[in-house]
Amino acid sequence: MSRGSAHPALIALGAVGAVGAACAVWGIGIERYLFTVREATAAALPAGSAPLRVLHISDAHMAPWQRCKQDWLASLADLEPDLIVNTGDNLGHRDGLDGIRRAFEPFAGIPGVFVHGSNDVHGPTPRNPLRYFAGPSKRHVEPEHLDTAGLDAFLGEELGWADLNNSAARVRVGERVVDFFGVDDAHRDWDDLDALPGAIAGLGARDAATPLLGVTHAPYQRVLNAFTELGAQAIFGGHTHGGQVCLPFYGTIVANCDIPLKQAKGLSTWTHGERGIPLNVSAGCGHSIYAPVRFACRPEATLLTLTARDTPA
């Protein structure tokens, strides 16, 4: 290469390096702290129902030192939601429950439901991020066991939230009731879809005015299709982190499950058979302590207002 051609090449290489460094600074040092409340509305409830304001929280991956995230989550109680849906992966460290307590204690008195993600049971491990492009991640090392019992006692007994792991529950929200069903983490094949019909039947007779909502951590298509067949009027999911590192003006490039990428975050319509129902996939508000970055995908919670359908389903 001649001296004359080397100079432009070096300039280009330097420019690429500068852009990469700037992106790293933004994703690691800035965007992962830009916590956002995404607001949306979906017609999902039986005709004639009053609106239901649902705060959807997911994927906190909490470590005890993450005070900014804890303070932001605690502040969400000021939104005064009618109901909280927690789609799992609350813990990101063996002492993560300390941070979850600090973050969620202001929610005491607000009805809620929860399911597990794998990081409510097993601790995070270092991973090569390029492996996500080969398909949904698999565990390759013996996991650290987290304080799942302590988490469930806090969420279920202290906050009074209903445990929906391969189960169903009838939740009183003000003067009305809402029926829920859900599964344990489908990403680890802990979901038991066959248990759900009996669990829903066990709730007793359902009034036509009572909503039926489905909750999952990992929004795999088999789960979404089964929920649709079971009559869910809306579905809540997490797990994907919205891609976590996305391309500006393009969006999600990997979802870590088989959901279509265009539905890996935000509100969309899941269609199966002849039914189409609202699906909200939260991009979550955290990340693994081994991957402390967000790029073109801000950490979030969703305030989703469910309204009545114009006509019966």
Side-chain angles (χ1 to χ4, degrees):
M1 179 181 294
S2 68
R3 179 176 296 180
S5 61
H7 183 62
L10 290 174
I11 292 175
L13 183 61
V16 170
V19 170
C23 289
V25 168
W26 175 263
I28 296 173
I30 299 175
E31 185 167 345
R32 69 187 177 111
Y33 298 109
L34 298 181
F35 301 107
T36 301
V37 176
R38 177 171 55 83
E39 297 192 38
T41 300
L45 304 180
S49 299
L52 185 67
R53 299 172 74 246
V54 182
L55 179 63
H56 182 186
I57 297 171
S58 195
D59 297 272
H61 292 279
M62 189 66 73
W65 61 80
Q66 294 173 334
R67 306 282 287 191
C68 290
K69 181 163 55 181
Q70 294 161 25
D71 289 342
W72 176 73
L73 282 167
S75 76
L76 298 180
D78 295 338
L79 297 173
E80 299 183 344
D82 301 314
L83 175 73
I84 295 174
V85 172
N86 180 326
T87 47
D89 270 4
N90 293 279
L91 305 178
H93 184 275
R94 63 178 177 273
D95 297 321
L97 182 55
D98 295 339
I100 287 296
R101 283 183 171 276
R102 185 170 180 270
F104 288 174
E105 280 177 345
F107 296 143
I110 303 174
V113 298
F114 70 94
V115 293
H116 288 156
S118 63
N119 283 156
D120 295 316
V121 180
H122 297 151
T125 56
R127 289 180 182 161
N128 179 353
L130 296 178
R131 286 186 174 179
Y132 287 103
F133 291 97
S137 60
K138 302 296 181 182
R139 186 169 294 279
H140 299 286
V141 298
E142 183 64 24
E144 175 187 35
H145 292 281
L146 301 176
D147 187 6
T148 308
L151 175 69
D152 289 355
F154 172 61
L155 299 180
E157 297 172 19
E158 296 185 41
L159 295 183
W161 294 356
D163 183 340
L164 297 180
N165 288 294
N166 300 321
S167 187
R170 180 161 288 166
V171 177
R172 179 159 291 280
V173 182
E175 298 299 317
R176 57 180 164 172
V177 295
V178 180
D179 286 350
F180 287 92
F181 64 90
V183 289
D184 207 334
D185 189 5
H187 188 62
R188 293 286 176 239
D189 295 322
W190 297 341
D191 55 308
D192 185 357
L193 296 170
D194 292 337
L196 294 181
I200 295 170
L203 298 176
R206 295 189 59 250
D207 189 287
T210 301
L212 180 63
L213 308 178
V215 181
T216 180
H217 173 65
Y220 278 84
Q221 293 189 39
R222 70 175 187 274
V223 174
L224 303 179
N225 290 342
F227 279 21
T228 305
E229 292 172 359
L230 287 167
Q233 293 163 338
I235 302 174
F236 296 83
H239 175 70
T240 67
H241 296 194
Q244 189 166 327
V245 175
C246 298
L247 293 179
F249 311 110
Y250 178 82
T252 305
I253 55 177
V254 63
N256 200 22
C257 67
D258 67 356
I259 192 171
L261 293 180
K262 65 181 181 179
Q263 294 181 273
K265 64 178 175 181
L267 179 65
S268 65
T269 298
W270 184 256
T271 302
H272 175 63
E274 297 182 354
R275 292 195 68 212
I277 58 176
L279 166 66
N280 191 70
V281 177
S282 173
C285 61
H287 50 71
S288 168
I289 58 176
Y290 298 108
V293 61
R294 285 264 185 170
F295 190 81
C297 186
R298 290 188 178 187
E300 69 169 32
T302 308
L303 185 62
L304 178 62
T305 300
L306 299 179
T307 61
R309 298 185 302 270
D310 292 335
T311 58

